Amino acid sequence: MKTTKRTLFLEIQNLIKELKPHTISSERKAVLQPLTDFIWAEVSKNQEIRINFICTHNSRRSHLSQVWAQTMANYFNIRNVFCYSGGTEATALFPMVAETLQNSGFQINTISKNDNPVYSIKYADNEHPIIGFSKKLNDDFNPKSGFCAVLTCDSANEACPIVFGAEKRIPITFEDPKVFDDTPQQAEKYNERSLQIATEMFYVFSQINS
């Protein structure tokens, strides 16, 4: 395995050290394996790795997946990884997602405030920020070909039997924390989902060059 870079913000590094990838079930590892295989194949060909995480509204799970995948690529020093997110429709990045990431150590700045706010999400001093906002999967901000489409919710998986331009289409679905919105468990459940996604993206990228 390549040595890890130490450019991530310290709070994020400390969170990563506390993750428990050994708790991922064998069934779930089988779900994650195609993404590992895609990344490994591109690395072995010295190709750029483009991953577009897709859910219905591009408001919660797809953003968490994009941010954590990009962060783990940096942590494991897997170069030329570019992570994106999109939806079958555009809505807005839900504020609790930004708050959850901020509580995990990411630097969050609001670039524009409107019905679909745009956020700058930084995980390291010397890396470009992730630009977070809700968009359709085929938005000009996203790649048009040679990417892996990862479907993070069942409805997007069913609505997108074909993702045009995708080299690979992989369903890796997560339970929606939205069901806990406006409840006393909201912050806890968003953090729980974020940590699950972080753990699984850690596992995926830890398999590359290991």
Side-chain angles (χ1 to χ4, degrees):
M1 187 190 303
K2 293 181 180 180
T3 55
T4 58
K5 294 195 296 183
R6 295 301 178 190
T7 60
L8 295 178
F9 295 136
L10 183 59
E11 191 174 346
I12 298 175
Q13 287 188 46
N14 289 338
L15 183 151
I16 290 172
K17 291 175 185 176
E18 296 298 318
L19 297 176
K20 299 178 173 62
H22 62 275
T23 63
I24 301 173
S25 70
S26 56
E27 291 81 8
R28 189 64 179 176
K29 286 179 179 178
V31 171
L32 297 169
Q33 190 61 45
L35 179 56
T36 301
D37 292 343
F38 172 82
I39 297 168
W40 172 247
E42 298 303 288
V43 167
S44 65
K45 295 182 290 186
N46 202 28
Q47 298 290 315
E48 291 183 342
I49 302 149
R50 300 187 184 277
I51 308 169
N52 193 1
F53 294 92
I54 299 165
C55 67
T56 304
H57 299 118
N58 190 211
S59 57
R60 294 170 177 81
R61 289 164 286 180
S62 50
H63 281 290
L64 290 171
S65 300
Q66 175 190 7
V67 169
W68 278 117
Q70 193 71 62
T71 301
M72 293 306 175
N74 178 281
Y75 183 78
F76 286 103
N77 201 17
I78 311 299
R79 300 185 180 279
N80 297 318
V81 176
F82 303 94
C83 296
Y84 308 83
S85 67
T88 54
E89 59 184 276
T91 55
L93 193 159
F94 192 63
M96 193 68 213
V97 170
E99 183 177 329
T100 300
L101 290 169
Q102 189 166 38
N103 290 340
S104 298
F106 294 86
Q107 289 184 1
I108 310 290
N109 290 298
T110 305
I111 297 173
S112 72
K113 296 181 179 180
N114 49 43
D115 290 340
N116 185 6
V118 180
Y119 297 90
S120 164
I121 305 167
K122 287 206 73 168
Y123 54 89
D125 276 326
N126 295 327
E127 301 295 337
H128 289 296
I130 297 164
I131 304 302
F133 67 99
S134 185
K135 69 199 85 66
K136 287 190 175 182
L137 60 95
N138 59 354
D139 188 271
D140 285 343
F141 212 78
N142 288 339
K144 297 294 185 283
S145 62
F147 63 93
C148 176
V150 176
L151 289 302
T152 62
C153 74
D154 287 329
S155 56
N157 186 35
E158 293 164 3
C160 299
I162 297 173
V163 179
F164 292 104
E167 187 174 313
K168 188 86 174 175
R169 178 192 179 282
I170 302 170
I172 301 177
T173 60
F174 301 96
E175 291 183 13
D176 195 351
K178 180 181 179 179
V179 298
F180 294 96
D181 287 356
D182 302 316
T183 74
Q185 294 175 285
Q186 183 183 43
E188 174 193 349
K189 291 300 182 179
Y190 272 79
N191 186 57
E192 183 180 290
R193 190 61 55 242
S194 179
L195 288 176
Q196 179 201 355
I197 292 170
T199 302
E200 294 189 358
M201 291 302 109
F202 177 99
Y203 173 77
V204 166
F205 282 95
S206 72
Q207 304 305 299
I208 310 302
N209 298 331
S210 61

